[in-house]
């Protein structure tokens, strides 16, 4: 049981490049989330999903897109990376029946945009 | 607006007790969470309070006062491995978590 995994662990991009971050969970969780974490700030929700085929915007969605084609996977895309998107990105999932709470986190992806 | 406040950093001695405070203001309230995050790692769930009072779980306890918008995390018999950031998060009316910036706890021998 791997829990929540994220790919890649670390990436360097140039301004304007695109990339996709992959999150996978093997716990059969309905809800999945993408957060970013910056120094001195709390986790900020980018997008989330309450089930396969559904996505919704969080607190800071601009510059990001997401897809949930399969229940176990949640993809975060950056179409045109900007230095302001340098951050640590965490994916999380919640078990069914408990709402959007008790979240289980992946190990994070460190992204540097030059 | 929605806001979570907690101290930026605290220092304590191995074997001692430390209390980390958190105050919150949210649109609706569906519970208060504490997570632990070691440097360079993911947050991990510690506790959840939705009713007033103290919840004890081993060396860690968490308290909630809904009328005061206040919670604390109490860590007893501190160990060096407790050096980490402790994140307070409140669940709002939409069951979304509003996160504090975290309290970095430094344990000294």
């Amino acid at each position: 049981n791997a829990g929540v995994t994220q790919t890649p662990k670390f990436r360097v991009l140039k301004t304007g490049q695109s990339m996709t971050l992959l999150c996978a969970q093997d716990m059969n969780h309905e809800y999945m989330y993408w957060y970013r974490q910056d120094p001195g700030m709390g986790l900020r929700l980018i997008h989330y999903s309450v089930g396969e085929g559904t996505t919704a915007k969080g607190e800071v969605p601009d510059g990001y897109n997401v897809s949930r084609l399969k229940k176990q996977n949640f993809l975060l895309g950056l179409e045109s990376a900007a230095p302001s998107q340098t951050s640590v990105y965490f994916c999380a999932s919640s078990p069914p029946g408990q709402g959007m709470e008790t979240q289980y986190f992946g190990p994070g992806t460190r992204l540097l945009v030059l | 607006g929605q806001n979570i406040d907690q101290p930026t950093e605290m220092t304590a001695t191995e074997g001692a007790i430390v209390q980390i405070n958190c105050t919150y203001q949210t649109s609706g309230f569906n519970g208060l969470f504490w997570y632990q995050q070691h440097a360079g790692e993911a947050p991990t769930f510690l506790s959840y309070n939705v009713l007033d009072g103290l919840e004890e779980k081993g060396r860690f306890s968490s308290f909630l006062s809904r009328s005061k918008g206040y919670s604390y995390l109490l860590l007893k018999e501190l160990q060096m491995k407790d050096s980490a950031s402790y994140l307070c998060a409140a669940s709002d009316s939409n069951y979304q978590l509003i996160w504090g910036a975290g309290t970095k706890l430094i344990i000294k021998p």
Side-chain angles (χ1 to χ4, degrees):
Chain A
N1 198 345
V4 181
T5 58
Q6 292 183 233
T7 310
K9 288 184 169 50
F10 179 71
R11 185 77 183 268
V12 179
L13 287 179
K14 294 182 180 179
T15 296
Q17 287 185 318
S18 63
M19 78 165 294
T20 300
L21 284 68
L22 172 63
C23 176
Q25 53 96 1
D26 61 2
M27 297 177 283
N28 199 36
H29 288 174
E30 290 294 330
Y31 298 159
M32 297 186 74
Y33 320 80
W34 275 108
Y35 289 96
R36 59 178 290 172
Q37 187 175 41
D38 301 294
M41 301 183 73
L43 288 161
R44 291 185 292 168
L45 184 64
I46 304 171
H47 285 280
Y48 64 98
S49 169
V50 299
E52 181 179 319
T54 71
T55 63
K57 294 180 180 179
E59 179 187 357
V60 289
D62 294 341
Y64 305 95
N65 57 74
V66 288
S67 65
R68 183 103 180 264
L69 298 179
K70 293 183 179 180
K71 184 177 183 178
Q72 63 268 34
N73 295 338
F74 195 28
L75 278 62
L76 177 71
L78 285 73
E79 291 184 348
S80 179
S84 61
Q85 294 178 304
T86 292
S87 188
V88 180
Y89 291 86
F90 285 103
C91 175
S93 68
S94 290
Q98 295 187 33
M100 302 172 70
E101 305 173 52
T102 317
Q103 297 176 15
Y104 297 84
F105 285 80
T109 294
R110 280 158 180 75
L111 177 64
L112 175 61
V113 182
L114 301 175
Chain B
Q2 307 201 100
N3 192 51
I4 306 286
D5 284 319
Q6 54 181 129
T8 303
E9 188 174 295
M10 299 182 69
T11 301
T13 304
E14 190 177 15
I17 299 173
V18 71
Q19 177 175 313
I20 303 173
N21 296 324
C22 170
T23 58
Y24 64 89
Q25 277 186 308
T26 54
S27 302
F29 179 74
N30 284 300
L32 194 291
F33 290 81
W34 285 96
Y35 280 75
Q36 180 189 58
Q37 185 177 24
H38 285 100
E41 298 183 8
T44 56
F45 171 77
L46 282 179
S47 69
Y48 171 66
N49 294 65
V50 66
L51 300 176
D52 286 356
L54 187 69
E55 295 275 347
E56 296 187 72
K57 197 183 290 186
R59 294 190 298 114
F60 292 7
S61 302
S62 55
F63 172 84
L64 176 67
S65 169
R66 294 177 65 129
S67 63
K68 295 182 179 178
Y70 167 71
S71 173
Y72 68 73
L73 181 69
L74 190 71
L75 291 75
K76 303 176 184 176
E77 301 170 12
L78 286 169
Q79 301 175 10
M80 297 303 293
K81 67 179 182 179
D82 297 330
S83 291
S85 287
Y86 291 85
L87 313 181
C88 174
S91 178
D92 71 7
S93 57
N94 294 318
Y95 294 94
Q96 289 198 14
L97 293 185
I98 310 301
W99 296 83
T103 299
K104 183 178 181 180
L105 178 63
I106 300 168
I107 309 296
K108 295 186 174 180

